[in-house]
Amino acid sequence: MTAEDAAPAGRPVGLKPDAIGFVDALVIGLNSTSPAYSLAAIIGPVVALVGIYAPGVMLASFVPMLLIASAFYYLNRVDQDCGTTFSWVTRAMGPWAGWLGGWAIAMTGVLVVGSLADVAVSFALLAFGLDSWVDNTFVRQLLTVLLILVMTAVCVIGTELSAHVQNVLILAQVACLLVFVAVALYKVYDGTSEYDEIDPAFSWLNPFGAGGAALTGGLLLGVFAYWGWESAVNLTEEVEDSATAPGKAGLWSTVILLVSYVSVAFAVVAYAGPAFLAENADEEEFIFAQLATDVLGGWDWVLLLAVSTSAIASTQTTIIPASRTALSMARRRALPEHYAHISPRHRTPDVSTWWVAGIAIAWYLVVSRISDNALFDSLTALSLLISFYYALTGLACVVYYRRHLLESVHNFLLIGVGPLVGAGLLTWLLVRSVMDMSDPENSYSGTSWFGLGPPLVIGISISLAGVLAMFARRLWAPAFWQERPGVADPDLVPGHSHGHGHGHES
C-alpha cells in the first residue's frame, strides 16, 4: 500500500477502518488477559488465601469486571475513540480526570509487557527442556527483549496480522487448558492423583466461605486475572460495526474468562488439594509447571506451551491499549503531537507503539537489575492503576448518561446502577490495595522503601510522575485543557433513535 492509497487526498492518514471483525476483536480481548499465564500466576496465592473456595473468588472477581464492561459498551456507543477511558472520562468529567485515566492505561502497558515476555520465554524454554537457559539471566533477558521487539513489529505491520496471530495463539492456549482440566479431573475421580485429591463440590463457588478478609485478598488477585479484556474496545476505530461490536467483544470476553477460570480452579484444587497449593504459593506460576508434569507426565510441555503462548499473545495485545491511548491523547494535544503519527503504509500508530515498547523494555531491564522480586513488585503495583482507571470509567458512564438514567429500567440498571456499583467495588479494592501494600511484609521483596512496601512506592511514584507530566503539558500546550465536559446525545441513548458516534479526528 502506498501513502497515496492510505487516505483520500488532502486528508490526514487515520487508523484503518473495518480492519477486523467481531470475532477477531473478541480473541484479542481474551488474549490480552493472558488466561493461562494469569491462572498460573494467581492460582497458588488465591488458594493460599481461600482454600477450596478459589472457584468462588474467581466468580466474585467476575462481577465488577462485568459491570465495568457494561460501562465500556455504553460509552463506546457514543464515542468510538481508540483512547477509550481517556476520551470518555474527558467527555464526562473534564480534561484533568481524562488525562490521568489515559496516563494510568499507558503505564499499565509499560509495567507489564516486560514481565509477560519474560514468562513467555521462560515457559517456552521449559517446554523444550532448556531449563538451564531459564537460569541464565543474560540469555533469558536477551530473548525477552527480542520477543518484545517482534511482537511490537507485528502490532505496527497491521491490525489484520495481529488478529491472525492472536487467533492461532488463543486456539493453542484454550486447547491446552482444556486438556489439562480434563486429565486432572479424570485422575481425581479415578483416584490416581499424586496429591491429596478431593472431589469437587458446588459449595466451592461460595466466595464468602473463607471469610471477608480472605475474600478481599483474593479479589485483588482476581482483578489482575481478568484485566485486559478492554483491548478489544481500544481497537474500536478498526473494527467493523464499531458502535457496538467492540463493546460486545469486551462483554463476551469477561464471560468466557469466567468459565475458563472457574473450570481450571476446580481442576487444580481438586487434583492437588489446598494444602499443597498453599504451601507452594510463593512459587507462583511455576506451580503450574509442577502440576503440568504430574498431571500430563511426558505431555507436560502441553501446559507449559499454553502458558508461554498465553504470555506471548498478551505481550502483543497489551501494547495495543497503551499505544492507542497515547495516539488518542496526542491527536487532542494532550501529549506531544508526534505520538499521533500513523504509518501511511500500515495504518497503525507506529510512533506511539514503538515508544511504548521502548519504555517497557527499559523498565524491564532496569527493574530486573534490582532483583526479580522488584519486577514482581512492579506487577503488584498494577492493581492500583487498574482499579483506578476501571473505577473512573464506571463513574464516567453514570455521569455522562445522568440525564437519561430514569428514562427506563434498562438505563437505570445497566447504565446507572451497574457501572456505579462496579466503580464502588473497584474503589474499595483500590483502598484495600493501598492498605495492604503499605506493609513491606506483603511485598515480594520483603524490604522497606521509605517505610512502605515497594509496590506502593512504585504506584505512588508513577502517579506523581503522571501529575507532574500533566501540569507540564498544561503549561506547554494548554489547548486540550479548554475542553468542557458534556452529557450524552439523546439520539445515542438506548430507547431513542440511534445515530452514530464519532471518534476524534486528527
Side-chain angles (χ1 to χ4, degrees):
M1 180 184 293
T2 65
E4 287 75 19
D5 295 329
R11 292 194 61 187
V13 176
L15 296 172
K16 187 175 182 179
D18 301 331
I20 59 174
F22 167 79
V23 174
D24 296 320
L26 174 64
V27 167
I28 288 173
L30 286 172
N31 270 329
S32 293
T33 65
S34 190
Y37 164 68
S38 296
L39 283 165
I42 72 160
I43 195 67
V46 168
V47 174
L49 285 167
V50 301
I52 59 174
Y53 299 105
V57 166
M58 300 314 300
L59 176 62
S61 302
F62 163 75
V63 174
M65 291 299 99
L66 180 65
L67 297 177
I68 297 302
S70 177
F72 270 75
Y73 173 78
Y74 286 107
L75 286 168
N76 183 69
R77 286 177 62 127
V78 295
D79 184 9
Q80 293 94 61
D81 189 297
C82 66
T84 60
T85 293
F86 159 72
S87 181
W88 303 333
V89 174
T90 299
R91 274 179 171 245
M93 302 165 66
W96 297 97
W99 201 98
L100 291 175
W103 175 263
I105 294 176
M107 289 301 102
T108 54
V110 168
L111 287 177
V112 79
V113 165
S115 177
L116 287 169
D118 187 286
V119 168
V121 167
S122 297
F123 272 81
L125 293 175
L126 290 172
F128 291 107
L130 299 172
D131 298 32
S132 61
W133 288 28
V134 178
D135 298 327
N136 187 315
T137 302
F138 175 79
V139 171
R140 192 183 75 250
Q141 291 186 352
L142 175 62
L143 292 174
T144 295
V145 171
L146 289 175
L147 177 60
I148 295 173
L149 293 175
V150 169
M151 290 295 99
T152 305
V154 171
C155 288
V156 171
I157 289 172
T159 306
E160 298 102 320
L161 177 60
S162 296
H164 294 327
V165 171
Q166 293 299 315
N167 288 340
V168 173
L169 292 175
I170 194 67
L171 286 174
Q173 186 179 161
V174 170
C176 293
L177 284 175
L178 288 176
V179 169
F180 173 77
V181 169
V183 175
L185 290 177
Y186 172 79
K187 289 190 173 184
V188 168
Y189 287 109
D190 194 45
T192 55
S193 169
E194 298 185 20
Y195 302 94
D196 297 325
E197 80 273 7
I198 48 179
D199 290 338
F202 282 110
S203 62
W204 294 5
L205 290 172
N206 176 15
F208 302 101
L215 172 61
T216 300
L219 285 173
L220 291 174
L221 293 166
V223 166
F224 171 77
Y226 282 98
W227 166 68
W229 50 264
E230 76 273 14
S231 290
V233 192
N234 285 101
L235 292 169
T236 183
E237 298 177 37
E238 300 154 85
V239 178
E240 297 171 1
D241 190 17
S242 62
T244 57
K248 289 180 180 177
L251 284 165
W252 277 106
S253 294
T254 62
V255 174
I256 295 172
L257 288 169
L258 168 68
V259 175
S260 303
Y261 287 170
V262 171
S263 299
V264 173
F266 265 107
V268 169
V269 174
Y271 179 83
F276 168 79
L277 294 167
E279 290 169 3
N280 294 275
D282 291 340
E283 294 297 320
E284 292 258 311
E285 60 264 16
F286 289 99
I287 289 180
F288 245 29
Q290 178 64 48
L291 291 179
T293 302
D294 297 336
V295 172
L296 301 174
W299 291 84
D300 60 335
W301 60 268
V302 171
L303 189 59
L304 297 175
L305 208 56
V307 176
S308 179
T309 56
S310 174
I312 290 172
S314 194
T315 298
Q316 179 197 336
T317 53
T318 303
I319 296 171
I320 290 173
S323 63
R324 264 75 179 167
T325 297
L327 163 67
S328 179
M329 294 177 75
R331 66 188 179 188
R332 289 170 73 170
R333 313 299 188 263
L335 284 179
E337 294 177 33
H338 66 273
Y339 291 112
H341 183 270
I342 293 176
S343 167
R345 179 180 180 184
H346 303 298
R347 304 288 294 275
T348 56
D350 52 351
V351 172
S352 63
T353 301
W354 283 113
W355 265 98
V356 168
I359 297 172
I361 289 173
W363 177 270
Y364 165 72
L365 293 176
V366 169
V367 175
S368 295
R369 293 287 294 177
I370 300 173
S371 71
D372 287 338
N373 284 333
L375 186 63
F376 285 124
D377 283 334
S378 73
L379 283 181
T380 305
L382 271 177
S383 64
L384 298 174
L385 301 177
I386 296 167
S387 298
F388 171 72
Y389 79 78
Y390 274 172
L392 198 60
T393 307
L395 184 59
C397 183
V398 178
V399 173
Y400 195 63
Y401 278 100
R402 62 187 180 276
R403 295 183 182 175
H404 307 283
L405 297 181
L406 299 180
E407 292 177 355
S408 68
V409 174
H410 171 280
N411 289 6
F412 181 71
L413 294 179
L414 298 185
I415 307 179
V417 174
L420 187 61
V421 170
L425 288 171
L426 287 163
T427 301
W428 171 64
L429 288 174
L430 175 61
V431 173
R432 285 305 305 253
S433 294
V434 171
M435 294 170 62
D436 290 343
M437 292 180 194
S438 64
D439 185 354
E441 293 300 317
N442 292 330
S443 68
Y444 288 94
S445 302
T447 58
S448 172
W449 291 5
F450 308 105
L452 301 171
L456 183 58
V457 174
I458 293 171
I460 292 174
S461 299
I462 290 174
S463 301
L464 287 176
V467 172
L468 292 174
M470 178 175 63
F471 278 108
R473 186 62 187 169
R474 168 68 177 81
L475 293 173
W476 184 262
F480 168 69
W481 278 266
Q482 308 308 313
E483 295 192 22
R484 294 291 178 265
V487 294
D489 183 341
D491 290 338
L492 297 173
V493 176
H496 291 271
S497 59
H498 300 300
H500 297 282
H502 300 277
H504 298 280
E505 299 295 337
S506 299

